[in-house]
Amino acid sequence: MPGRSAADLGASSHNGRVSTTSLPAPDRSPLLRDALLAADFTVDGLLDLLGAPAYAALARSETVPALRATRGATPLETVVRLFLLQRPVPAEEAAAVLPLAECAADGWVVQQGESVRATVDVRPYGGPEGQDWFIVSDLGCAVGGAGGIASHDEGVVLGVGGASTTLAGITVRTPVARALDIGTGSGIQALHAVQYATGVTATDLNPRALGFTRLTLALSGAPAADLREGSLFAPVDGETYDLIVSNPPFVISPGARLTYRDGGMGGDDLCRSLVQGAGEHLNPGGYAQFLANWQHVEGEEWQDRLRSWVPRGCDAWIVQREVQDITQYAELWLRDSGDHRTDPDAYAARYEAWLDEFDSRRTKAVGFGWITLHKSGSDRPSIVAEEWPHPVEQPLGETVRAHFERVDHLRAHDDAALLTGRFKLADEVVQEQVGMAGAEDPEHVILRQNRGMRRATKVDTVGAGFAGACDGRLTAGQILDAIAQLLGEDPVVLRDRTPQSIRLLVQEGFLEPVAPAV
């Protein structure tokens, strides 16, 4: 997995660079990191301590099962109650596990009589290669849960949640010179990026978020990033990158109450601005990858709306993962902020404001999904916009990269060239025959992927035979000629009518081009 977690103060800026003031000081974070690891405060350690049900409940921001599982005073139980469950622990117990004097002096904890409390939320997070990382965020602000977040402060900084891990999973992970994380929050994407990018810039409109990113990187033992305050691309004007990632404040809302989620622009304008602006900040061959929400507007296809966002010179792969009607959407985010626990009249007024916002924009539903851009420079861009609500296998970064490689291949080969090429069936593609029991021939044949996007596609007899024969040894034309002879068809006619089917199988990842031997 790209990242596993147990869930999901201020700062000042000078010339775009940020220095923390009232957040914990990161300078001696290696001491705290060593103590946390010695206590086995890791994803695996938590799973062993809590058990699967209590561990899963934490991901839903439900803490009662974990509290029941940490009633002892072992080092791990003490650290879990202090930093993860945010309960006071006896100072004597804390001192037996942590460098308590240094933690108190640096601001990680505060002493209250005979007890100590954490000042920030610290959560274990597993890196893609088994690294033990920690995400630092505001207290009581894990993502999700029936109660909503514990703070309505405008600048609250959340920890890692489902959206964060989704973006981390779909990101293309190849060594690059420069990477940019826009709206870094508590720094999850920047933490991933510093592992394979020579230089990482992380930006956020909220200076508190930049302070938390600094802490996340330091406590995880990761290289530092270049932290800059500002909105969207303003902090990096005139600069270009090989990779841009963003889990932006994409929620379409009536106003900008919470910086972490509400973009403050009308409708889906923030996501549109982010996507449109990425083109001029990408180096040739670079990728930009975003999570986004978009409006479904009366009289307009959502695919057309999203295609209009794609900047010149970029290919795009847009995947809509979910659609909610406007009432579901408003209720989701009212619960997220805990508004359902406020005065009923205030809740109703906020609900009305959301519906008024949608009515004014003729919005009937809201889509959620992924947008990936690839700076191909082609004057014949490939823009794929599809709905895919089905389960996928994360991480998908390699699947995303391979998609655009296949796009480049198909664009560079006309039908004649396609038939001279060689292909192989992708790994773990299986063939299913569907038909009535006892029938001599199947009604149809389905090819199904067991990896990546886990697609399934219906093929005819020729398509099934062609895919099954693709092992990289024969050209596509040679395979079609053999099928024509077997079926008694005219090979010229078969060659003429099959390339489009081959293109579709390649585009969707069932077939992979084989490089010519040198």
Side-chain angles (χ1 to χ4, degrees):
M1 292 296 293
R4 301 170 298 151
S5 73
D8 186 320
L9 339 257
S12 61
S13 65
H14 178 66
N15 292 332
R17 305 306 193 267
V18 172
S19 61
T20 58
T21 53
S22 58
L23 283 173
D27 298 340
R28 289 187 286 187
S29 57
L31 290 175
L32 176 56
R33 173 177 173 80
D34 289 345
L36 296 178
L37 294 178
D40 203 19
F41 189 51
T42 64
V43 172
D44 291 336
L46 281 175
L47 185 57
D48 290 341
L49 172 68
L50 303 179
Y55 183 91
L58 275 180
R60 302 189 299 271
S61 300
E62 301 292 351
T63 58
V64 172
L67 285 167
R68 291 171 60 87
T70 56
R71 288 172 171 169
T74 67
L76 180 55
E77 288 173 318
T78 297
V79 172
V80 169
R81 291 180 71 87
L82 179 64
F83 284 116
L84 189 60
L85 303 179
Q86 295 150 26
R87 297 298 194 273
V89 302
E92 183 178 359
E93 292 181 12
V97 182
L98 304 173
L100 187 57
E102 290 84 353
C103 287
D106 291 346
W108 293 96
V109 300
V110 293
Q111 190 154 354
Q112 299 174 331
E114 298 300 316
S115 299
V116 296
R117 282 183 174 272
T119 63
V120 290
D121 182 309
V122 177
R123 304 205 168 213
Y125 181 77
E129 298 177 357
Q131 301 100 323
D132 290 317
W133 293 338
F134 299 98
I135 308 301
V136 187
S137 62
D138 269 317
L139 292 171
C141 291
V143 176
I149 65 171
S151 173
H152 285 172
D153 292 342
E154 179 184 347
V156 66
V157 177
L158 299 190
V160 60
S164 302
T165 56
T166 293
L167 179 58
I170 67 172
T171 300
V172 176
R173 306 286 180 196
T174 55
V176 295
R178 305 192 73 207
L180 171 64
D181 176 17
I182 299 176
T184 187
S186 53
I188 297 99
Q189 309 309 324
L191 178 58
H192 280 277
V194 295
Q195 310 304 313
Y196 56 87
T198 303
V200 174
T201 301
T203 71
D204 205 292
L205 182 64
N206 180 6
R208 290 167 47 78
L210 297 169
F212 277 115
T213 294
R214 185 190 300 277
L215 294 173
T216 288
L217 295 174
L219 193 58
S220 297
D226 177 10
L227 305 179
R228 306 188 193 179
E229 182 182 344
S231 177
L232 299 179
F233 294 102
V236 296
D237 184 37
E239 300 181 41
T240 57
Y241 296 84
D242 306 297
L243 174 70
I244 300 172
V245 294
S246 183
N247 176 19
F250 51 64
V251 176
I252 299 171
S253 62
R257 290 177 58 210
L258 298 170
T259 302
Y260 79 88
R261 71 169 202 189
D262 303 320
M265 297 185 184
D268 51 19
D269 283 355
L270 183 137
C271 291
R272 175 186 55 78
S273 298
L274 189 62
V275 174
Q276 288 181 336
E280 64 183 276
H281 292 279
L282 274 178
N283 289 324
Y287 290 92
Q289 298 186 262
F290 314 104
L291 300 187
N293 280 188
W294 46 79
Q295 298 165 231
H296 285 223
V297 178
E298 292 180 11
E300 178 185 48
E301 295 294 331
W302 72 266
Q303 295 94 333
D304 293 339
R305 184 179 190 85
L306 272 292
R307 289 188 185 103
S308 72
W309 294 4
V310 178
R312 185 184 301 274
C314 289
D315 297 329
W317 186 15
I318 302 162
V319 182
Q320 180 167 271
R321 295 288 288 159
E322 185 179 0
V323 180
Q324 290 186 325
D325 68 47
I326 56 174
T327 59
Q328 291 174 310
Y329 189 81
E331 290 161 15
L332 168 67
W333 295 109
L334 288 168
R335 288 194 302 271
D336 169 81
S337 57
D339 286 311
H340 60 309
R341 295 184 283 113
T342 62
D343 175 73
D345 290 338
Y347 173 81
R350 291 197 186 280
Y351 202 150
E352 286 272 9
W354 284 75
L355 298 185
D356 287 344
E357 171 75 9
F358 288 131
D359 284 348
S360 70
R361 298 180 179 279
R362 299 184 298 113
T363 301
K364 58 183 180 180
V366 177
F368 170 84
W370 321 324
I371 300 175
T372 299
L373 306 177
H374 179 231
K375 187 71 171 289
S376 65
S378 175
D379 57 1
R380 295 184 295 120
S382 166
I383 303 177
V384 176
E386 61 176 327
E387 187 164 11
W388 192 256
H390 312 294
V392 299
E393 184 188 47
Q394 286 274 34
L396 280 169
E398 180 59 25
T399 298
V400 172
R401 185 196 61 77
H403 166 88
F404 288 100
E405 284 194 349
R406 294 192 302 270
V407 164
D408 286 339
H409 181 88
L410 291 174
R411 185 163 44 211
H413 292 75
D414 60 18
D415 288 353
L418 201 68
L419 293 177
T420 64
R422 291 174 168 81
F423 302 90
K424 70 180 184 68
L425 194 63
D427 293 339
E428 297 194 40
V429 171
V430 298
Q431 177 178 303
E432 301 174 0
Q433 295 185 346
V434 180
M436 297 296 293
E440 182 176 349
D441 297 313
E443 293 179 10
H444 55 266
V445 176
I446 293 175
L447 298 180
R448 188 179 303 278
Q449 301 170 351
N450 286 324
R451 304 293 298 274
M453 294 293 287
R454 292 179 171 168
R455 297 185 187 276
T457 189
K458 186 188 299 185
V459 293
D460 59 14
T461 302
V462 172
F466 181 85
C470 283
D471 59 7
R473 291 182 293 180
L474 299 176
T475 68
Q478 290 170 330
I479 294 173
L480 290 177
D481 289 345
I483 292 174
Q485 184 176 5
L486 184 65
L487 298 179
E489 292 196 25
D490 184 337
V492 175
V493 173
L494 192 60
R495 279 174 172 253
D496 284 344
R497 68 179 174 86
T498 306
Q500 189 57 39
S501 298
I502 296 175
R503 288 185 181 276
L504 183 60
L505 290 174
V506 172
Q507 177 181 308
E508 294 191 342
F510 291 95
L511 296 178
E512 299 174 351
V514 174
V518 293

